[in-house]
Amino acid sequence: MNQLFLAIFLLVAVARCGVSADRTGAYRNHAKAAEENSNWMAALSDDVSLSAWSLPGTHDTGAYNFGGETTETQRMNVEEQLKAGIRALDIRLGVSHLNLDVQCQGPDLWTFHGISCQFQRFSDILSSIDEFLVEHPGEMIVMRVKKENGNIANFASLVEAEMD
């Protein structure tokens, strides 16, 4: 009973405050970058360690294809995010979907937000990253890969195979 009361209290408190990320000056939901920032890291000194940098990144980087406001956390695809200057990627992957009629089936790793497939193969994201790094050799990308959907016992092996 106490947990239910706390949950209702918090829900009412948040609703009454009207706090929402999209109501702050820091919120930006544009489909195109304001500037081209493909080469910003090339200007950094090689003597500075990675731990001293503050890398711009995106939450749920691959969530821009399906689900509307419920699941889409980005408006730009990975290529556009890299050109905008994003260097820390949050890639969430899965192998199956509840709706058997969608293309997120088979052995491929797909981008997901929760149970919602975002219809982009991990191999395609890796190709985009590889292409970007070839075109911009002074840049680097930090990528977090997480299992988001599906019962995948050999997830690490599948990710490693894709990256090879």
Side-chain angles (χ1 to χ4, degrees), residues 6-126:
L6 179 61
I8 292 171
F9 174 77
L10 290 174
L11 181 63
V12 170
V14 169
R16 291 199 63 183
C17 291
V19 175
S20 181
D22 64 346
R23 295 183 190 156
T24 70
Y27 183 82
R28 186 171 183 279
N29 191 19
H30 301 282
K32 296 289 181 199
E35 295 182 26
E36 172 79 19
N37 293 307
S38 294
N39 293 305
W40 69 267
M41 294 186 86
L44 298 175
S45 170
D46 290 340
D47 297 331
V48 179
S49 69
L50 176 61
S51 64
W53 295 347
S54 178
L55 296 176
T58 50
H59 165 74
D60 234 326
T61 302
Y64 53 83
N65 278 328
F66 178 76
E69 291 181 5
T70 304
T71 61
E72 293 175 27
T73 58
Q74 305 302 323
R75 294 277 312 272
M76 293 184 278
N77 65 31
V78 172
E79 296 88 358
E80 292 164 335
Q81 291 177 45
L82 294 173
K83 289 177 185 174
I86 299 300
R87 295 296 177 269
L89 307 180
D90 174 24
I91 305 296
R92 298 166 186 227
L93 303 172
V95 293
S96 63
H97 193 272
L98 295 176
N99 180 350
L100 299 178
D101 294 331
V102 299
Q103 68 187 48
C104 296
Q105 293 292 313
D108 294 325
L109 290 170
W110 296 86
T111 55
F112 275 81
H113 184 180
I115 62 168
S116 179
C117 182
Q118 295 297 305
F119 305 104
Q120 184 165 18
R121 285 182 180 90
F122 182 46
S123 59
D124 295 335
I125 289 176
L126 292 174

Side-chain angles (χ1 to χ4, degrees), residues 132-152:
F132 178 83
L133 291 173
V134 167
E135 292 174 10
H136 307 282
E139 304 298 300
M140 64 166 255
I141 296 167
V142 174
M143 180 171 51
R144 172 189 183 252
V145 177
K146 178 185 179 222
K147 177 174 68 169
E148 184 81 356
N149 187 62
N151 187 11
I152 314 167

